[in-house]
Amino acid sequence: MNIVGLQIAESNSMEFGLYTLGDHLEHDLTGHKISEQQRMMEILDLAKLTEDAGMDVFGVGESHQEHFVATSTPVILGAIASVTQKIKLISASTVLSTSDPVRVYEDFSTVDLLSGGRAEIVSGRGSRYGSYELFGYDLKDYDELFEEKFDLLTRLNKEQSVTWSGRFRAPLQNTELFPKPMNGHIPIWRAVGEHYSSAIQAGRMGVPMHMAALYGASSVYARRVDAYRQVATESGHDAEKLPVAVATMVYIDKNSQTSMRDYFPYINNNFTKTRGTPFPKDHYAEGASIKNAMMVGSPQQIIEKILYQHELFGHNRFIAQIDSSGVPFRKVQEMIEMFATIVVPTVKKAIKK
């Protein structure tokens, strides 16, 4: 299928990949914390390992606050472009509300050229709000900021010369941007998180949806996908040709008991440090169910969860964050091997039947 230059797996197949938010946390059990420079090098190594493992996509997020190093996604993706050859490079996601869409498009056009046409933009409002205060934006404008800027970003992607005006940026008059992306356009996804209305707006606009499904009942996320496709159809778009991506945290070990036991200190540390509240133990326990979106377990459990979600969502792309919360890189490497050699081929085979 081709949505403004987007080539992605059809419904009977699926793309797989990894993403990182650049978490920079000490291990809650040992208290050890690596340097920011070492963490950056881990991200480059993670991207190379993802490509070497035969996966399709690698993403880098953006977070402007303590405990994260990924504040400049295009710069990191540019570095990754120089050490990879084939893998698609996406933002996961760009906090468009506090960025200039013109600058974002220039940056990603540059990444696209450096990577030989592999760049994609995933645009979101930001689940963390550090960038709003940092760059002087008012959270009261949370929705309006994003909708206006996303409209401009998609216009820049479709039109050679853009005339545009809005509330939060100086107007453009017959403006043409340089450099041009390799194929004339960059695939642009809309990131959808906790806000149901965002899925509806993605459907109304007829743009690909990149959905975060971290924990809780998968059926809740299915309602967002259903609403997205329904509204897309009602708005005159071909919903069957609109890709859906699912992004979530994944922790894999040889058996479910070990996975559930070992991952909790990490995710609890993450929530405590970055959100100011521990991860609820009762919600964590529910993650053992196949119907729960939390991807923690043995390779077989992860396979069953992804296939269960595919029945609900019919999604085209699944990307996993396996380096979150201070998980040691040696463990990350082990999980990549299990994910790439057991989970991915088994899921792909099952979906093609």
Side-chain angles (χ1 to χ4, degrees):
M1 68 184 57
N2 194 336
I3 306 293
V4 289
L6 179 58
Q7 298 291 335
I8 196 170
E10 299 295 339
S11 59
N12 65 340
S13 185
M14 190 186 297
E15 290 184 337
F16 284 88
L18 302 181
Y19 73 102
T20 181
L21 300 182
D23 305 37
H24 185 228
L25 292 160
E26 67 275 13
H27 186 336
D28 194 42
L29 298 181
T30 66
H32 176 68
K33 187 175 185 178
I34 65 175
S35 70
E36 291 177 325
Q37 194 271 342
Q38 184 178 344
R39 186 71 182 99
M40 287 288 189
M41 293 303 100
E42 284 187 353
I43 292 174
L44 264 64
D45 287 342
L46 182 62
K48 289 187 287 186
L49 287 169
T50 305
E51 179 169 87
D52 291 345
M55 285 185 265
D56 309 289
V57 187
F58 187 80
V60 178
E62 176 186 342
S63 189
H64 299 267
Q65 64 183 67
E66 188 181 5
H67 306 303
F68 296 90
V69 298
T71 59
S72 185
T73 301
V75 173
I76 299 172
L77 290 177
I80 292 171
S82 70
V83 296
T84 58
Q85 299 296 323
K86 298 179 180 180
I87 200 163
K88 295 178 182 179
L89 304 177
I90 73 171
S91 57
S93 63
T94 296
V95 184
L96 189 63
S97 301
T98 59
S99 301
D100 180 359
V102 172
R103 188 64 190 173
V104 168
Y105 199 75
E106 290 178 337
D107 286 345
F108 278 87
S109 293
T110 302
V111 173
D112 195 63
L113 295 175
L114 289 171
S115 65
R118 293 184 280 138
E120 298 183 8
I121 304 172
V122 179
S123 300
R125 294 179 284 191
S127 60
R128 298 179 177 90
Y129 306 131
S131 62
Y132 286 81
E133 181 178 356
L134 182 64
F135 297 118
Y137 290 94
D138 193 334
L139 272 173
K140 293 179 181 177
D141 299 321
Y142 185 75
D143 292 321
E144 290 178 272
L145 272 167
F146 180 75
E147 298 303 341
E148 178 178 297
K149 292 188 175 188
F150 192 72
D151 172 69
L152 175 55
L153 184 66
T154 55
R155 288 274 303 277
L156 294 169
N157 200 35
K158 293 177 181 178
E159 303 172 20
Q160 287 293 312
S161 178
V162 175
T163 297
W164 176 94
S165 64
R167 284 185 55 203
F168 301 104
R169 192 200 185 283
L172 301 176
Q173 185 67 37
N174 297 324
T175 300
E176 187 173 1
L177 298 188
F178 303 94
K180 305 292 186 186
M182 189 165 178
N183 297 311
H185 302 282
I186 300 175
I188 297 177
W189 302 68
R190 180 171 176 133
V192 173
E194 299 176 358
H195 300 276
Y196 188 83
S197 59
S198 191
I200 292 174
Q201 185 63 7
R204 185 174 293 119
M205 296 182 72
V207 296
M209 182 172 75
H210 179 99
M211 181 176 68
L214 303 182
Y215 50 85
S218 291
S219 58
V220 172
Y221 301 101
R223 289 197 286 273
R224 293 173 196 171
V225 177
D226 291 344
Y228 164 69
R229 292 192 173 120
Q230 179 180 340
V231 172
T233 300
E234 292 171 351
S235 301
H237 307 292
D238 187 348
E240 294 298 319
K241 292 184 178 180
L242 289 176
V244 173
V246 172
T248 190
M249 296 179 290
V250 173
Y251 190 89
I252 313 173
D253 213 308
K254 293 179 180 179
N255 63 71
S256 58
Q257 293 81 8
T258 302
S259 297
M260 291 293 291
R261 180 197 68 204
D262 290 353
Y263 187 54
F264 183 75
Y266 293 112
I267 193 170
N268 190 56
N269 185 39
N270 184 327
F271 272 63
T272 301
K273 295 288 175 57
T274 67
R275 306 192 184 196
T277 180
F279 194 90
K281 288 187 176 181
D282 55 340
H283 290 180
Y284 186 77
E286 293 169 357
S289 168
I290 189 176
K291 296 182 179 182
N292 194 282
M294 183 181 293
M295 295 284 173
V296 181
S298 65
Q300 185 58 38
Q301 281 181 300
I302 303 301
I303 291 166
E304 291 172 359
K305 282 173 173 274
I306 294 173
L307 291 175
Y308 175 76
Q309 286 191 344
H310 191 260
E311 290 182 4
L312 294 176
F313 308 154
H315 50 304
N316 314 87
R317 177 181 287 179
F318 180 89
I319 65 170
Q321 184 191 11
I322 64 174
D323 71 331
S324 69
S325 312
V327 174
F329 199 67
R330 65 181 182 278
K331 178 59 182 177
V332 171
Q333 292 172 300
E334 292 175 8
M335 289 193 287
I336 290 175
E337 183 175 359
M338 286 186 282
F339 187 68
T341 62
I342 303 173
V343 175
V344 172
T346 304
V347 171
K348 284 188 173 184
K349 184 178 180 180
I351 289 174
K352 287 182 179 179
K353 287 182 179 179

